[in-house]
Amino acid sequence: MEGKANLRFLIASVLILFMSNVPCHAQLSPTFYDSTCPNALSTIRAAVWKAVWAERRMAASLIRLHFHDCFVQGCDGSLLLNNSSTIVSEKSALQNFRSARGFNVVDDIKSSVESVCPGVVSCADILAVASRDASVAVIGGPTWTVKLGRRDSTSAAGKDEVESNLPKFTDSLDHLTTLFANKGLNSRDMVALSGSHTIGQAACATYRGRIYNATDIDTGFASTRRRGCPSVGGDGNLAPLDLVTPNSFDNNYYKNLLQKKGLLQSDQVLFGSGGSTDGVVKQYSSDRTSFYYDFAWAMVKMGDVEPLTGS
């Protein structure tokens, strides 16, 4: 069985590599910087690994930045823009405020890239590459070929647009499915991308309601989580999204959902309600190879969401 799983993963990897070299509608290409900045990818990789080894949580944060960028106004780096006289930063929206992090690491990566090839590599591409490298830097994390050539936006989306496009920790399965479908991602992509919650942490304020009020939760798990998240206060207290192997990129996230141990309500709705995603969660919980392939493929698809291209 192990041999068959390895063979499937090898075939899947070849397919991802092939599809990643097929031009998409935005004419992105993994070789975009080969002549203009041949050391771009190695420079980004070195900076990401340095950041992740300094703080393990940073891997999840960098993956999340790419996700939050692509889901609002496309993969254009607009999430990185700060407030100005003409810009209301996307960072101020509910889903980003005091939770989206790693901006200092992106600044460091950008500075390193600028030192080897000034004015060539976009911040949007840095976010895309950094998310892949962050996955690889974690124990067991999958990899994929990143298509490049995105141009940076000089304008941020409005706060209302951000809050209506990004998922919330209280969202229902139907609403999550709609949000992903609006970006050209199906329910299988959604479940696979949610698997990034196998690493990272969540603040008490985002899961308090679940551990004190939800009925679709393991009682022992809820009791454990209440120790670090009081009913009043402690909003910023952190807990790992995967209690079992918080620093490994594996499929325990899905095993947790089967046991009603999803930390966020938006995680647990993926399993247990008899919805269309139950079967996918079950598959990933027992077949890590399928999860890795689908996660990598979904990341490639997400990187194609409405990127800016051209001069």
Side-chain angles (χ1 to χ4, degrees):
M1 291 297 291
E2 184 68 26
K4 290 182 179 179
N6 289 336
L7 178 60
R8 288 200 304 271
F9 185 62
L10 177 61
I11 293 172
S13 300
V14 172
L15 286 172
I16 289 175
L17 181 62
F18 170 75
M19 291 303 294
S20 295
N21 282 278
V22 175
C24 73
H25 67 279
Q27 298 178 329
L28 301 179
S29 166
T31 61
F32 187 82
Y33 297 113
D34 280 8
S35 59
T36 57
C37 190
N39 294 322
L41 297 187
S42 61
T43 301
I44 296 171
R45 181 173 61 249
V48 169
W49 277 66
K50 178 181 178 181
V52 172
W53 280 104
E55 183 193 0
R56 294 288 183 176
R57 185 189 176 196
M58 189 53 64
S61 297
L62 291 174
I63 293 173
R64 186 169 182 244
L65 284 183
H66 181 45
F67 176 87
H68 281 219
D69 181 43
C70 290
F71 260 60
V72 181
Q73 201 172 273
C75 306
D76 61 357
S78 60
L79 174 61
L80 305 175
L81 295 172
N82 291 323
N83 282 321
S84 73
S85 59
T86 58
I87 293 174
V88 177
S89 176
E90 295 176 18
K91 298 176 184 179
S92 64
L94 175 65
Q95 294 93 323
N96 292 324
F97 186 63
R98 293 182 179 175
S99 64
R101 59 191 301 275
F103 297 108
N104 59 320
V105 172
V106 177
D107 288 343
D108 291 343
I109 297 171
K110 177 64 171 174
S111 295
S112 297
V113 173
E114 287 295 299
S115 70
V116 296
C117 46
V120 175
V121 182
S122 69
C123 290
D125 278 344
I126 286 176
L127 287 178
V129 176
S131 67
R132 187 271 311 277
D133 292 344
S135 170
V136 177
V138 179
I139 299 172
T143 188
W144 56 93
T145 300
V146 180
K147 289 185 282 187
L148 303 164
R150 299 168 188 81
R151 178 166 54 85
D152 288 335
S153 172
T154 57
S155 63
K159 183 179 178 181
D160 290 343
E161 183 180 351
V162 177
E163 295 183 353
S164 63
N165 277 271
L166 283 175
K168 300 182 183 69
F169 59 87
T170 55
D171 280 346
S172 67
L173 179 59
D174 286 344
H175 188 59
L176 289 171
T177 302
T178 298
L179 290 178
F180 278 77
N182 289 341
K183 305 303 174 185
L185 300 167
N186 59 39
S187 59
R188 191 175 188 88
D189 298 325
M190 177 180 70
V191 178
L193 290 172
S194 297
S196 64
H197 284 183
T198 188
I199 56 175
Q201 301 181 59
C204 170
T206 63
Y207 63 85
R208 177 185 286 117
R210 173 160 167 73
I211 62 174
Y212 283 97
N213 304 316
T215 57
D216 59 340
I217 189 170
D218 178 85
T219 55
F221 174 73
S223 178
T224 298
R225 280 289 157 250
R226 288 172 189 162
R227 297 172 193 166
C229 182
S231 59
V232 178
D235 285 3
N237 293 355
L238 298 173
L241 288 159
D242 174 9
L243 179 63
V244 183
T245 54
N247 295 318
S248 297
F249 202 114
D250 53 31
N251 60 341
N252 265 323
Y253 165 80
Y254 301 104
K255 296 177 182 180
N256 293 337
L257 298 185
L258 296 184
Q259 300 171 29
K260 298 183 179 180
K261 295 180 180 179
L263 186 60
L264 302 180
Q265 187 60 36
S266 55
D267 287 326
Q268 193 60 56
V269 295
L270 300 179
F271 182 82
S273 61
S276 60
T277 56
D278 279 11
V280 184
V281 171
K282 284 184 178 179
Q283 180 185 359
Y284 291 163
S285 71
S286 61
D287 188 348
R288 186 168 61 176
T289 300
S290 292
F291 163 47
Y292 277 10
Y293 168 66
D294 287 352
F295 179 81
W297 179 237
M299 288 296 288
V300 172
K301 288 178 66 175
M302 187 179 74
D304 284 344
V305 173
E306 303 172 5
L308 295 176
T309 57
S311 301

